[in-house]
Amino acid sequence: MAKILLLVSLFLTFAYSVVGLSVVINALVKSNQEDSYIRSVAPDGTIVDINYHDIYSVCAVMAAACALLIVFSLVSAFSQISSIGRKQRLVRLQAFLILFGALWLLATVIACDVLFATRSTNITATFDGVALSQSVIQQFEQSIGVSPEYSKQWYLRLCAILPWFAVLFATLSGLLLHRAAINTDGYRDAEATESEKIARASHE
């Protein structure tokens, strides 16, 4: 029963890590598309600078964390299905790696949530070498139907919510793997005790 629970948890870790990676990649693509759209509709002679590097960098790190959890969960699930899952050191290493990935992803998700709730894209523009005021830029944003606030971007909302499930199940998987390592140690001790009993009985 414990092994089935562990495999289910590893599968959910894998699934939600794939979902997290997908929504982050989608957000990065959508951000680039919106960047290109704003530049394309800007009047001729206008140089637009769009700065969203803070959320972009966090999402890139989040994608790396999700990718690592995908690999770790697959390897751990395979080892549990095969005989490798009886090796205590390997199971402990898997538990450490998945918990490390969960902690890394947790840090990036928290950073993403803070930026999503409080920050916005910084847009500046110059026309024929003259800097445009923020009021003019805001009127231009409203006219093309673009909001600089991160909280109003649906694709960033997905990045702020869905990876939490990967954090949850990765943490659960890491704890279950740690418990499995302890049980493996107990199994080996019991097996050694039985071997000793058999050896003593044969000598008698």
Side-chain angles (χ1 to χ4, degrees):
M1 184 64 183
K3 188 172 183 178
I4 294 175
L5 181 61
L6 173 57
L7 289 174
V8 170
S9 181
L10 287 171
F11 171 77
L12 291 174
T13 301
F14 169 79
Y16 279 108
S17 296
V18 170
V19 170
L21 180 61
S22 300
V23 297
V24 169
I25 292 176
N26 178 66
L28 297 177
V29 171
K30 292 292 184 183
S31 296
N32 287 331
Q33 290 177 345
E34 189 172 282
D35 186 329
S36 301
Y37 171 70
I38 293 174
R39 295 179 192 277
S40 66
V41 298
D44 294 338
T46 304
I47 299 175
V48 182
D49 179 59
I50 304 172
N51 187 351
Y52 51 89
H53 296 306
D54 50 0
I55 194 76
Y56 193 96
S57 299
V58 170
C59 285
V61 176
M62 191 187 300
C66 287
L68 283 178
L69 283 176
I70 290 172
V71 175
F72 292 159
S73 58
L74 277 177
V75 171
S76 298
F78 172 77
S79 68
Q80 287 300 311
I81 294 172
S82 65
S83 60
I84 302 176
R86 291 188 176 183
K87 296 183 179 179
Q88 183 192 26
R89 290 183 180 179
L90 184 58
V91 177
R92 280 185 174 176
L93 176 62
Q94 292 166 1
F96 170 78
L97 291 175
I98 287 188
L99 287 174
F100 170 77
L103 183 61
W104 185 13
L105 183 58
L106 174 63
T108 58
V109 172
I110 291 174
C112 180
D113 285 1
V114 171
L115 293 175
F116 175 76
T118 61
R119 302 290 291 274
S120 60
T121 303
N122 183 25
I123 301 178
T124 57
T126 58
F127 182 74
D128 287 339
V130 179
L132 300 178
S133 65
Q134 283 299 313
S135 60
V136 173
I137 294 175
Q138 289 173 1
Q139 290 177 0
F140 171 70
E141 291 169 351
Q142 292 174 358
S143 67
I144 63 175
V146 173
S147 174
E149 297 179 15
Y150 294 150
S151 59
K152 294 184 178 179
Q153 309 299 332
W154 63 268
Y155 51 85
L156 291 179
R157 185 177 298 275
L158 295 178
C159 292
I161 296 174
L162 292 180
W164 278 106
F165 293 98
V167 173
L168 173 63
F169 288 110
T171 303
L172 178 60
S173 296
L175 295 176
L176 290 174
L177 280 168
H178 177 68
R179 182 180 178 183
I182 296 174
N183 291 339
T184 300
D185 186 39
Y187 169 81
R188 291 175 61 185
D189 291 342
E191 192 177 49
T193 303
E194 289 297 325
S195 299
E196 290 176 1
K197 289 180 179 179
I198 293 172
R200 287 176 184 175
S202 63
H203 287 306
E204 292 175 356

